Each structure stands twice: as structure tokens, then as C-alpha cells.
Amino acid sequence: MKKKNNLILIFIGPLLFALCYLLIPASVFGSREGCAAVGAVAWMAFWWITGAVDYAVTAFLPIALNALFCITDMSAVIANYASETILLLLGASILTASWEETGLDRRIAAKFLSLVGSKLRRQIVFWFVLCTILSAVLPNAVVCAAMTPIAVSMLRYVGEKDISKSRMGSLILLTIAYATGVGGLASPLGGAMNLVTVDYLEQVTGEEFMYIEWVIRFLPIMVILVISNIIMLLIGCKKTDELGGSREYFKQQYASMPKMSKEEKWSLFLFLLATLLSFTRQFYQELLPGLKPAYVFIICAILSFFITKSNGERLMRWGTTQKKIVWDLIYVFAGGLALGTLINGSGAAKAIGNMVANADFSGGFVLILVIVALTLLLSDVTSNTATAAVAMPIVLSIVNGIGENPVPYIYIASIGVNLSYMLPTSIRAIPVGYGLEPKYMLKKGMPITVVVIALMSVTAYVMLKFWPLFSTT
């Protein structure tokens, strides 16, 4: 019976694609290729959420569908499977593969738990605040790739080895993914999508945009976002939910561990070096313009294969290391990027935006709600940067058409561009690669999406009406 049900789920995926491709008029999504791209979203989302096939297998559908239906340039689709972010994730995965071999993972976990404590509520608040702060000034993919393995080590140490079956483990990994997305909105340095926004602001005003102005304008929004997201994540958490023993117990565990070995020190040093160089790129980018975070992690990953044990043997060899690399993470992330390429390359995203632009809006709360909802939902199926590139000119055309000041509406669009919660695309693929089930992400992400759209729409409307600074450059 279970096998029969799984066959039905497998069949529904291509059926959804066929319905989108054959029944939706080409004019709705700009072309027949646009319909195919939307069908690919439906197919992949259904398979990811139901787990009809392995998540990594689903991630290769963009290549197969593009080969059959010529949705967009194939080289652009394939490039996603070896992008800089993919190399970053591969390098980070190799570096953390040595942790289990040396026992560093247990040492890090015990130290972390002795400092933060094992209460689930405290863990969620800590991870959310930490990752939000870091991703405000650093690429969110780097933050998520660096923080997730540390959290996974902690979870394994307390016995939560299977994330897919661990409610507490799933919640912590989801917290990291959501926080890194929220943090990106805090400053223009949070991601390339914000630099797209800054470029449009400078085009509209004809003046250089000062980054500090962004921080000031978005501060009230950030406060509301952080508080609301944490509250939503804490819903369902019991006061008694705890990861193992007390803080004192883990202090004793850490104190009883032997002195850190040479192999542990090298494993930790290379990971910290890669993370530090990625976080401080602005200080050396003129001297070494090609040394981007992805390549820093790859270089340090190569160096990790030269670590030797006390007996002179190599700590890591490819034959054993490749078994510890989280390949699911890499392919699911790549599949999400490729899906975004189909949506944008086919013109489907632009067609969706044009439908909104052609609607009869007169400004006010309804327009704000539509902008926030559209940009946030687009960010769930394509990259944040691609959403910004598609959405900003559409927002400008709508606002100019009704004779409103475009500046606050560009800010409003930036809110949705940075946020997304439901599908394992972009950085949300990282926790999925470590075992988080996409259906759990959808279950938690849907109510947060609804709440955030409503909260951000109301907040933006109030700021537009009663805070003059939000409407000026």
C-alpha cells in the first residue's frame, strides 16, 4: 500500500507540470516557456514537500525539463550546479568532515552547550539573534554555511542524530535559515539584492545613497521582524523542552575531555581561517580581488587533506571524506538556483510582475500589501537578487503611473525581496541538506509568511503615513 501511494505521489509531480504547460494560456506567463517554468516550480515543490523521490534527485529536474522544453539558455541553468555558492558549501562540508574524525565536533558541542545552555527556547533566541547580526554585514550564505554545521554538531552530541525525526533539531536549523534571511535586510551589506535596491534609489534621486540611511530607516522594521519571527518559532515550544542535560552537566562534560590534539587544532584553525577571511573580505579585496569566500573555503578544504596524525598518517583521504560530505545539501541548493533561472530566463517572473503593474492601483495600503506579498512569494521560488532585479522596475512603473513618490515603495519592495520562508530554495536548502524535511519547512513557513506579509504591510503603511524620513532620501 505504501509503495502504491508513493507511485501516486511520483505521478502527481509531472501531472502538475503538464497541467501548467498545456492548460494555462501562454499569455498568462509571457510564453509557453514561462508556463513550463511555472510547471517546473509546481513539480519540484510537490516532490520536495512530499518526499516522493530523494531531494537531490528532484534538484536535477531543471536540467531535464530545460533539455526537453528549451525553457531558457542551458548554460545558464547548468552554471548553477557549479556556482560560487555551491563551491562555498562544498568547501565548508569538506572542512567539517574532519570534525567527526578528530572528535572536534563533540568538543565544540559541549563547549557551546556549557555557554548557552540546553533550553530549546534559549537556543532559538540565541541562534536567531546571532545569525541576524552576522548576516546584516556578511553574505547570508556564508553565515548559514558556517553556523549550520556547528548547530548540527551540537545536536548530534546530545543524541539528536536524525534531524528529519527531531522536532527540536529541525526547529534550530530552521531558525538559522530564517535568521540569516531576516538579517540581510538590516543593511545594504546584507546581500546583492540590497545593492540592486540602492542602485535604483540612486537612479531615482540622482544622489549617492549613504548606507547609514538604510540602517536608520529599516531599524523599526527589523525590530518588528526579529520579535515576530522569534515568537512564531517559539510557538509550540514547551518550557520543559531541553537538549539533554543542564548547563552544569555540559560544563562537567567539557572539563572531562582530554587536551585538544594537534589534529583538532588544525581542523578548527582551517575552518576559523576560512570563516574569518570570508567575513573580512572588504579589508583585502583590492589586494586579492579574486579571493572570494567560495574560493577561500575551497583553498582551506584542500589544505585540510595535508593534516597528519601523530603517527604520520593523513587525517583525511578522499575515499573516506566523500562519504561524509553532505551532497544532498549541495544539489538541493543548486536545484533551487536552477529553478530560479528557469523562472527568470523564461520571462515568467517578469510576466507575473507585469500582471501586477497592469492592475488598477491607486496607492495606499492595498498597493503596499501587493508589493510585499509579490516580492516575498517570488523570493521563495527564485533568488533574492533575481527578485530584486525583476521587481524594482515593475514597482517603479506602478508608482510612477499613479504619480506617487517612488522612494518609500522601493524600500517597501526591499522587505519582501529579502524574506522567504516556505520552499527549500536559496539558503533554506542548507538545513534541508542536513536532514530538515521540506514539508516541515512548509508547515512552519506558511503561517510565518502570512503573519510577516500582514505585519510588514501594516508597518510600512504606518511608516509611510506618519514617518517623513521613510519617504525621503
Side-chain angles (χ1 to χ4, degrees):
M1 190 66 177
K2 186 177 180 181
K3 183 178 180 181
K4 182 179 179 181
N5 290 337
N6 194 60
L7 287 174
I8 292 173
L9 294 178
I10 291 174
F11 176 74
I12 289 175
L15 177 62
L16 290 172
F17 174 85
L19 292 174
C20 293
Y21 185 68
L22 298 174
L23 300 184
I24 298 176
S27 58
V28 174
F29 295 113
S31 63
R32 187 53 54 195
E33 290 77 15
C35 295
V38 172
V41 173
W43 185 345
M44 292 178 69
F46 183 80
W47 272 9
W48 268 334
I49 292 166
T50 60
V53 298
D54 291 335
Y55 303 141
V57 174
T58 301
F60 287 105
L61 279 177
I63 296 176
L65 293 173
N66 198 53
L68 292 170
F69 297 93
C70 299
I71 300 171
T72 189
D73 177 39
M74 182 61 91
S75 61
V77 176
I78 293 175
N80 292 293
Y81 294 83
S83 67
E84 287 184 5
T85 306
I86 295 301
L87 293 176
L88 186 152
L89 296 174
L90 176 59
S93 191
I94 291 173
L95 286 172
T96 55
S98 66
W99 292 7
E100 183 180 347
E101 194 73 23
T102 62
L104 179 62
D105 57 343
R106 296 185 292 277
R107 188 181 299 276
I108 291 174
K111 183 63 176 178
F112 182 83
L113 286 162
S114 69
L115 293 173
V116 180
S118 57
K119 294 287 186 181
L120 181 59
R121 291 184 172 186
R122 183 179 295 173
Q123 287 276 339
I124 289 172
V125 172
F126 173 83
W127 283 114
F128 200 96
V129 173
L130 174 65
C131 293
T132 298
I133 293 171
L134 289 175
S135 57
V137 293
L138 304 166
N140 53 20
V142 175
V143 175
C144 199
M147 294 297 107
T148 303
I150 296 174
V152 169
S153 295
M154 176 194 71
L155 291 165
R156 287 174 178 167
Y157 180 73
V158 297
E160 305 288 337
K161 298 183 184 297
D162 189 348
I163 301 296
S164 65
K165 296 178 181 178
S166 169
R167 177 179 63 87
M168 292 189 288
S170 296
L171 199 52
I172 289 174
L173 294 197
L174 203 59
T175 297
I176 294 172
Y178 287 173
T180 49
V182 169
L185 183 62
S187 81
L189 299 175
M193 59 281 181
N194 294 339
L195 300 181
V196 173
T197 301
V198 169
D199 184 59
Y200 275 100
L201 284 169
E202 292 180 340
Q203 290 180 34
V204 167
T205 62
E207 300 174 0
E208 181 182 359
F209 184 82
M210 297 300 165
Y211 285 9
I212 188 63
E213 298 297 329
W214 179 294
V215 176
I216 294 171
R217 285 175 173 83
F218 281 99
L219 184 58
I221 290 171
M222 285 302 302
V223 171
I224 293 172
L225 268 177
V226 170
I227 293 174
S228 62
N229 275 249
I230 290 176
I231 290 174
M232 291 297 292
L233 286 165
L234 289 176
I235 290 176
C237 290
K238 302 174 183 177
K239 290 183 179 181
T240 54
D241 283 341
E242 197 166 350
L243 298 169
S246 64
R247 183 185 295 185
E248 288 70 27
Y249 168 78
F250 291 113
K251 284 182 179 179
Q252 293 173 4
Q253 288 287 304
Y254 182 76
S256 65
M257 289 182 172
K259 186 178 178 182
M260 185 178 285
S261 66
K262 180 188 74 171
E263 303 95 281
E264 283 184 88
K265 290 178 181 178
W266 274 112
S267 295
L268 180 61
F269 171 75
L270 288 174
F271 183 82
L272 292 177
L273 177 64
T275 304
L276 180 64
L277 289 175
S278 298
F279 284 4
T280 58
R281 172 164 165 72
Q282 65 268 29
F283 297 115
Y284 64 84
Q285 59 182 348
E286 291 187 7
L287 180 64
L288 297 169
L291 194 61
K292 296 180 180 180
Y295 310 134
V296 169
F297 271 88
I298 286 295
I299 290 171
C300 288
I302 293 172
L303 292 175
S304 70
F305 285 93
F306 294 94
I307 299 174
T308 56
K309 300 178 183 179
S310 300
N311 59 8
E313 293 182 3
R314 292 276 172 83
L315 174 68
M316 296 171 62
R317 293 188 179 277
W318 184 253
T320 54
T321 301
Q322 66 175 340
K323 298 174 183 177
K324 298 178 181 178
I325 294 174
V326 191
W327 295 108
D328 280 10
L329 156 64
I330 294 168
Y331 293 132
V332 171
F333 196 103
L337 295 177
L339 182 60
T341 298
L342 294 185
I343 289 291
N344 288 283
S346 66
K350 188 175 182 180
I352 293 169
N354 288 334
M355 282 190 280
V356 175
N358 293 331
D360 185 19
F361 289 111
S362 57
F365 179 77
V366 174
L367 177 57
I368 292 172
L369 176 63
V370 169
I371 291 174
V372 172
L374 173 66
T375 50
L376 195 150
L377 294 175
L378 272 179
S379 294
D380 243 319
V381 295
T382 184
S383 74
N384 304 89
T385 304
T387 300
V390 169
M392 289 305 170
I394 293 168
V395 169
L396 283 176
S397 67
I398 296 173
V399 176
N400 289 333
I402 60 178
E404 293 278 351
N405 176 12
V407 171
Y409 290 95
I410 293 175
Y411 292 143
I412 291 166
S414 298
I415 299 172
V417 162
N418 277 271
L419 305 175
S420 41
Y421 297 94
M422 294 187 291
L423 295 178
T425 52
S426 189
I427 57 172
R428 294 172 306 285
I430 295 176
V432 171
Y434 282 94
L436 176 70
E437 291 192 335
K439 63 182 179 182
Y440 179 83
M441 179 180 291
L442 181 68
K443 178 183 176 182
K444 294 291 291 186
M446 286 181 69
I448 294 180
T449 297
V450 173
V451 168
V452 166
I453 289 175
L455 267 179
M456 290 298 98
S457 299
V458 171
T459 302
Y461 179 75
V462 171
M463 292 173 68
L464 180 62
K465 288 293 184 182
F466 303 106
W467 196 27
L469 184 63
F470 194 67
S471 302
T472 57
T473 56

